[in-house]
């Protein structure tokens, strides 16, 4: 079955037109539903993600927090997005330093971390 045949099932029939760029057709990323901020980590997270989520939530009280293991589940690489009032008036470098300091011990066991931070209004 071709990708075009699957389009109505995955992206809706309106997206099946020829005007849709090919790069969008080949996208395999699915949105994670863990950006609703709560003191309790979302059930969809694995243990490593829950641990990072809890530490970051406790420290920054964010308005948006997304933690995703992008290593395929082994916990060696994470993508983290934190939007918090704690970052107000701080440069991006200082925001990243705060997050790195918070996750200092966890980062020692990682291959890498992809970090996005922003001050919330």
């Amino acid at each position: 079955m071709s990708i075009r045949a699957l389009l109505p099932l995955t992206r809706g029939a309106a997206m099946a037109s020829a005007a849709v760029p090919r790069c969008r057709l080949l996208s395999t990323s699915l949105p994670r539903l863990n950006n609703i901020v709560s003191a309790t980590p979302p059930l969809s997270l694995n243990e490593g993600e829950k641990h990072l989520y809890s530490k970051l939530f406790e420290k920054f009280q964010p308005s948006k927090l997304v933690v995703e293991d992008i290593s395929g589940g082994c916990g060696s690489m994470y993508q983290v997005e934190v939007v918090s009032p704690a970052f107000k008036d701080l440069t991006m470098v200082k925001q990243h330093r705060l997050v790195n300091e918070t996750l200092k011990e966890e980062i020692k066991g990682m291959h890498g971390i992809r970090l996005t931070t922003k001050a919330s209004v």
Side-chain angles (χ1 to χ4, degrees):
M1 188 176 280
S2 74
I3 290 176
R4 291 234 183 248
L6 292 174
L7 260 180
L9 300 174
T10 59
R11 299 257 186 189
M15 297 284 294
S17 72
V20 177
R22 286 192 182 270
C23 60
R24 293 199 35 102
L25 296 176
L26 300 176
S27 175
T28 58
S29 62
L30 296 174
R32 295 288 299 240
L33 300 176
N34 63 348
N35 61 351
I36 299 171
V37 180
S38 165
T40 306
L43 297 174
S44 63
L45 301 183
N46 67 32
E47 290 305 312
E49 292 168 332
K50 286 179 184 177
H51 177 73
L52 297 180
Y53 183 100
S54 296
K55 283 193 85 165
L56 292 168
F57 184 86
E58 182 181 318
K59 175 74 175 181
F60 298 108
Q61 298 295 304
S63 57
K64 181 177 182 182
L65 179 57
V66 179
V67 177
E68 183 178 0
D69 182 346
I70 56 174
S71 65
C74 69
S76 65
M77 181 85 172
Y78 288 91
Q79 180 168 308
V80 175
E81 181 179 0
V82 185
V83 179
S84 172
F87 298 143
K88 186 177 186 213
D89 298 326
L90 296 178
T91 65
M92 187 182 304
V93 171
K94 289 181 181 179
Q95 294 172 17
H96 285 210
R97 284 182 182 156
L98 286 173
V99 173
N100 287 335
E101 184 62 34
T102 302
L103 301 177
K104 187 180 198 175
E105 291 303 312
E106 291 77 7
I107 289 173
K108 288 179 183 178
M110 290 182 200
H111 172 70
I113 186 168
R114 192 179 298 165
L115 187 55
T116 304
T117 59
K118 185 178 176 183
S120 60
V121 181

